[in-house]
Amino acid sequence: MPVVDLTGAVVLGAALLLTAVVAWWLRTRSGAVRTTGGATVREVEVLRGLGVRPEDADLTVVQFATAFCAPCRATKARLTQLQTRHPGLAAVHVDAESELDAVRALDVRRTPTLFYLDRSGALLGRSSGAPRPDELAALVAAHAPAQGHV
Amino acid sequence: MTPPRQVDVRGPRFGAWVTTVVLAVVLLTGSGWLLAAQAVVFAVGAFAGLRHAPYGVLFRTLVAPRLGPVRETEDEAPPRFAQLVGFGFALVGTLGYLTGAPVVGAVATGLALVAALLNAAVGFCLGCELYLIVRRARPARSH
């Protein structure tokens, strides 16, 4: 009967603890919309450079995605679903890998990362990780009224 | 162009649980050879495709028939990329254990275990998240 490897046992304990911390962080923090105070003009210009036209919709959501990103697909589907009830919502999907200059300029680290722009072209906020469904729905409802409530 | 290959979402989740258990046993026994075997399992999934991945085959033949019909499928690209990331960690860990650097072996195994357990328990794909950070660190391609 081999003796338990002490180093390995310590590492296993640390790995389980680290997993719990990351899982907690994902549950509580990931995907939350952060308002971007201060100088956001440059960021909006970078987004415009990708063909984003915020003046065409009440709320424009720009999603940076990669082929390896399962939550991006779920988020895209959720946005498409929201668009049926909120005609003022526009969604732009950017392949992060083919727009690496923009990814660096906007400091996009994770996918999905989303940017939220109102009709005036102001950046309302950004979020990393799949957005929380209720928070996303509330943000959309606040800026792009549901059909029939206009 | 062939359409992207789809897999039952429960397959990679099951594989992640098996991987977690195997990696925990590697840590507790300090067995470089067991980690080498897991590295081969990762390599098959990453390079030959998930339909050949050993734990995927195990899932389809033994587990799936008891679970009922497939409810949800996903593109195999994200979980396949995760296998590649797992292979990287397992390779480093195996070299560590087998060349007399057990701390390197244990730390690499521990990191792979974190990724596997996150995938198994909360469906989070760490390799997929890290992909863009790795990709953007490289110099921009000329257009």
Side-chain angles (χ1 to χ4, degrees):
Chain A
M1 185 68 194
V3 181
V4 166
D5 182 83
L6 193 62
T7 308
V10 171
V11 171
L12 177 59
L16 294 177
L17 192 65
L18 181 59
T19 306
V21 171
V22 174
W24 169 81
W25 181 83
L26 287 169
R27 283 272 157 86
T28 57
R29 301 289 161 86
S30 182
V33 177
R34 289 174 291 134
T35 49
T36 45
T40 57
V41 178
R42 200 180 60 91
E43 289 170 332
V44 175
E45 284 313 307
V46 173
L47 291 171
R48 281 186 187 278
L50 297 171
V52 175
R53 291 175 50 86
E55 59 275 8
D56 289 351
D58 294 328
L59 177 68
T60 301
V61 179
V62 185
Q63 173 174 241
F64 283 78
T66 64
F68 300 124
C69 171
C72 299
R73 290 155 211 246
T75 304
K76 184 177 184 175
R78 195 170 290 283
L79 285 168
T80 305
Q81 193 190 358
L82 283 166
Q83 278 178 308
T84 60
R85 283 203 59 223
H86 302 269
L89 171 66
V92 179
H93 301 280
V94 178
D95 175 32
E97 249 193 295
S98 56
E99 301 292 350
L100 287 177
D101 289 337
V103 163
R104 292 190 193 96
L106 296 166
D107 195 27
V108 173
R109 291 173 197 181
R110 298 174 57 197
T111 53
T113 289
L114 292 86
F115 294 85
Y116 306 87
L117 299 149
D118 71 9
R119 193 182 278 279
S120 74
L123 188 60
L124 298 169
R126 63 188 282 170
S127 62
S128 296
R132 284 139 204 292
D134 47 350
E135 193 181 10
L136 181 63
L139 188 74
V140 169
H143 293 276
Q147 215 161 21
H149 289 254
V150 185
Chain B
M1 277 280 290
T2 50
R5 199 175 288 275
Q6 297 285 308
V7 292
D8 182 350
V9 292
R10 300 169 301 181
R13 282 294 271 275
F14 170 80
W17 278 118
V18 177
T19 304
T20 302
V21 171
V22 170
L23 293 174
V25 173
V26 168
L27 283 174
L28 292 176
T29 59
S31 168
W33 291 109
L34 181 58
L35 186 57
Q38 177 59 48
V40 172
V41 167
F42 279 137
V44 173
F47 299 114
L50 291 185
R51 67 200 176 283
H52 300 296
Y55 302 158
V57 173
L58 200 66
F59 174 78
R60 279 199 308 277
T61 54
L62 291 179
V63 184
R66 291 155 207 268
L67 289 180
V70 178
R71 290 228 186 82
E72 206 183 332
T73 62
E74 65 177 341
D75 189 330
E76 80 158 4
R80 193 168 163 176
F81 180 75
Q83 295 291 299
L84 186 64
V85 175
F87 174 66
F89 280 110
L91 195 63
V92 171
T94 302
L95 291 174
Y97 276 121
L98 298 184
T99 59
V103 175
V104 173
V107 170
T109 306
L111 291 172
L113 189 144
V114 170
L117 186 53
L118 277 174
N119 197 347
V122 294
F124 178 73
C125 176
L126 190 64
C128 308
E129 294 274 335
L130 294 177
Y131 177 74
L132 189 62
I133 295 178
V134 173
R135 190 68 190 79
R136 64 175 259 185
R138 285 194 245 158
R141 276 177 296 194
S142 52
H143 291 285

